[in-house]
Amino acid sequence: FFFANMMRLPKMVVFDLDDCLWHPEMHELSGCPKKPVIGDLGNGQQGVIGAQTSGRDTVRLYDGALKALQQLHTDPQFKDVVVGAASSCLEPRYADACMDLLEVVPGVTIGSMFRYRQIGRTGKLTSSKVTHFRELHQESGIPFSEMLFFDDCNWGDHVQAVGDAYGVVGQRTPSGMTQKDWNAGLAKFAAKQSSAQSH
């Protein structure tokens, strides 16, 4: 786990979903995941580690994503940090189903942790994450300067786009979320805060 003692933490951590938090991507699935797959959540705890379709496609969290979400849920330092999703996935219903199945610790779903969800690319949302962040900001009232964003950026540099539009600090996760990505994002956010205070 990352030790954030005395470090400025964001008020909101925002995750992309497909290829950042979990794999495979929603549009690759044969249908909507409905069956929980039980396994080891770490520390010998059993819980839902997979969300399976009737065609046996199984959505799983990246290990680094699970550990980051576990720290957000259990570490007292993060108790005031809220969690949001910014995903332009093509199957929002499938994403919601996965969030309501997959667990962070036994009995606690990912979905219960995400206070704000902007998922899809219809209505007010487009394929650009700039639209997702506009909605997250309006819904939460949290300033862009207090957000930290993780995105795989394999289909376009959303971190750059959101940073350019709103000044949001972002961390790319090109191989799916790793603990190294999580630590680097937190360190980048803290460094920007301390440099802003010193000017």
Side-chain angles (χ1 to χ4, degrees), residues 25-195:
E25 296 186 63
M26 297 296 98
H27 69 87
E28 297 173 322
L29 301 178
S30 57
C32 187
K34 292 181 179 166
K35 182 184 175 187
V37 177
I38 307 300
D40 185 14
L41 287 169
N43 301 325
Q45 294 184 308
Q46 294 288 299
V48 181
I49 61 163
Q52 196 172 78
T53 68
S54 57
R56 302 192 73 76
D57 299 324
T58 304
V59 179
R60 297 176 190 270
L61 291 174
Y62 286 102
D63 189 55
L66 176 60
K67 289 190 166 57
L69 291 170
Q70 285 174 337
Q71 185 171 14
L72 281 162
H73 180 68
T74 60
D75 188 333
Q77 293 178 95
F78 289 87
K79 71 181 189 310
D80 297 324
V81 178
V82 299
V83 184
S87 168
S88 55
C89 84
L90 293 164
E91 296 287 354
R93 191 168 57 87
Y94 293 4
D96 283 331
C98 290
M99 293 181 92
D100 293 338
L101 278 171
L102 294 166
E103 291 182 335
V104 179
V105 296
V108 177
T109 63
I110 302 176
S112 70
M113 283 188 64
F114 278 71
R115 191 176 302 176
Y116 303 103
R117 301 186 197 184
Q118 293 296 333
I119 302 173
R121 49 177 72 187
T122 57
K124 293 181 178 178
L125 303 178
T126 70
S127 58
S128 166
K129 300 282 174 80
V130 170
T131 59
H132 298 68
F133 272 82
R134 181 191 64 216
E135 296 304 312
L136 287 169
H137 169 63
Q138 286 184 353
E139 192 181 0
S140 69
I142 293 172
F144 294 115
S145 61
E146 293 288 346
M147 297 180 183
L148 173 60
F149 176 39
F150 293 89
D151 191 289
D152 64 275
C153 295
N154 290 326
W155 300 101
D157 197 341
H158 296 296
V159 163
Q160 180 82 44
V162 172
D164 287 348
Y166 300 131
V168 172
V169 174
Q171 175 66 36
R172 296 169 185 85
T173 63
S175 304
M177 187 85 177
T178 65
Q179 280 193 277
K180 190 175 174 185
D181 295 329
W182 172 238
N183 294 347
L186 289 171
K188 198 183 288 186
F189 179 85
K192 184 171 180 186
Q193 294 295 325
S194 65
S195 100

